[in-house]
Amino acid sequence: MPEHPTPAPQLSDYAIEIRSKNAGPFWVTMETFMKDSAGYAIAADDSFLNEQVIADLYRVDATQVQIFRIPALNAVKISFPRPVTQAGLRDRDIHAGQHHVPLACLRVPHHPLTDEAQPVS
């Protein structure tokens, strides 16, 4: 029977928590709290997670994406304009509580730290 390759780990495998919330009625903020400094290094790596990646995941303008890397907290904070105004007629997530899912499911490709930073269960 042929072996199936193991899928690359997801960003959430290296995180304590990844969450999203409103940052006012016009913006969404997502926060990644990584388990350790090795996981933070992956999430903070601009070649892995950058404005264009977020723009592609959320169909927003990359020039409006803001990313804040906070090494003292092993956290990365990401903000971008909401696709629709909070509580507007087409708003499907009034609290922006589910916006983090595509980010949490983002696959971590081979990364120099992934050999040492295996996801902690």
Side-chain angles (χ1 to χ4, degrees), residues 23-28 80-86:
F26 307 109
W27 285 78
V28 170
F80 57 86
R82 288 179 60 102
V84 296
T85 302
Q86 179 187 15

Side-chain angles (χ1 to χ4, degrees), residues 67-81:
I67 299 179
F68 306 92
R69 294 168 175 86
I70 311 164
L73 299 175
N74 288 335
V76 176
K77 182 176 179 175
I78 302 162
S79 295
F80 57 86

